[in-house]
Amino acid sequence: MKKLLIIVLCVLGFQAQAQSDQVLLEHYRAYYNQMKLQGDTQGIVNGLTHLVILSPTESKALKDTLAMVYMSESNHVQALNTIGIDANQTDSDIAVEVKAVSLKGLNEPHRALIHFEELFKRTPDPSIAYELAELYLQTNNLEKSNTYIEYGLTNSKDTMGKSFYESQQPYQVKLKAAFLYLKALTKYNENKETNFDAALALLDDAIKMSPNFRLADISKQALINQKSESKVKE
């Protein structure tokens, strides 16, 4: 009889705990949804973190979402701490994107390339091609950079844009103009002595396509100044 009483008490205890966990789960789901409605980023993070703990069966998808929120706020270290940096075939598209963007944001181009390549393999897209072309240019793999530049120039539509943030006021240009800008830089880096005019012409084309393209204009002026300095030294 005593053993039976202990068993009954244990069962009741487990049931009470399960009910308590369910109440908490429902509370934090409602809390999370309310924070989304209010646009409260910290509240969203808090809600998702509690849901990850309270709902192990959904934790992978919830962690991906939490990492995406961190990434969108440029909290790249927190994003990667949430889901890791290793490449896994079972990763969701969200997880792959978070790893790619966050590693790029942390100035880890070689690691970022692995995940951008995976993104492009899953969904070939000019915007992803731009990221790949830029990173390959940054790592001095000009051949691979050119491959993605040509893909982008061929597949970009006039309605597609690319945002730039090098100035205090962000701005957007046509994606095709952005690819022309990258092509100019790649061309110049292939041979700085012989490809000056070709690079300058490509920058002019990019500016003509998007007259507000300040970064292309800055690069053009830098090339002109560099050539002028070289002539003076001669």
Side-chain angles (χ1 to χ4, degrees), residues 3 24 183:
K3 287 183 180 179
L24 278 174
K183 187 170 184 177

Side-chain angles (χ1 to χ4, degrees), residues 30-174:
Y31 174 85
Y32 167 59
N33 289 328
Q34 185 61 38
M35 292 300 101
K36 284 199 298 182
L37 285 174
Q38 293 175 198
D40 186 330
T41 304
Q42 189 56 53
I44 291 170
V45 168
N46 291 341
L48 283 169
T49 301
H50 281 90
L51 289 174
V52 167
I53 296 168
L54 292 167
S55 183
T57 57
E58 301 176 80
S59 65
K60 191 174 189 305
L62 290 168
K63 281 183 178 180
D64 289 350
T65 304
L66 177 56
M68 177 64 81
V69 174
Y70 278 131
M71 184 202 78
S72 67
E73 294 296 308
S74 297
N75 294 321
H76 300 306
V77 172
Q78 291 91 331
L80 295 173
N81 283 342
T82 302
I83 59 173
I85 64 171
D86 294 331
N88 299 302
Q89 291 300 312
T90 57
D91 278 345
S92 67
D93 290 349
I94 289 175
V96 178
E97 181 180 353
V98 168
K99 291 175 182 181
V101 173
S102 292
L103 285 166
K104 180 185 177 185
L106 293 172
N107 198 28
E108 293 281 355
H110 291 286
R111 287 178 169 177
L113 276 166
I114 295 169
H115 300 290
F116 276 117
E117 286 281 14
E118 177 63 25
L119 272 181
F120 189 81
K121 184 171 73 174
R122 295 185 184 192
T123 310
D125 178 85
S127 295
I128 302 171
Y130 183 90
E131 299 293 339
L132 285 161
E134 185 179 48
L135 285 168
Y136 277 121
L137 174 60
Q138 185 179 338
T139 55
N140 206 36
N141 190 334
L142 303 183
E143 183 178 354
K144 290 285 283 186
S145 182
N146 273 321
T147 297
Y148 287 107
I149 287 169
E150 293 306 321
Y151 174 90
L153 289 171
T154 301
N155 293 280
S156 294
K157 297 178 181 178
D158 288 339
T159 55
M160 293 178 176
K162 169 65 181 173
S163 297
F164 287 87
Y165 303 92
E166 85 282 352
S167 60
Q168 290 184 340
Q169 185 66 39
Y171 62 97
Q172 189 175 80
V173 303
K174 289 186 177 180

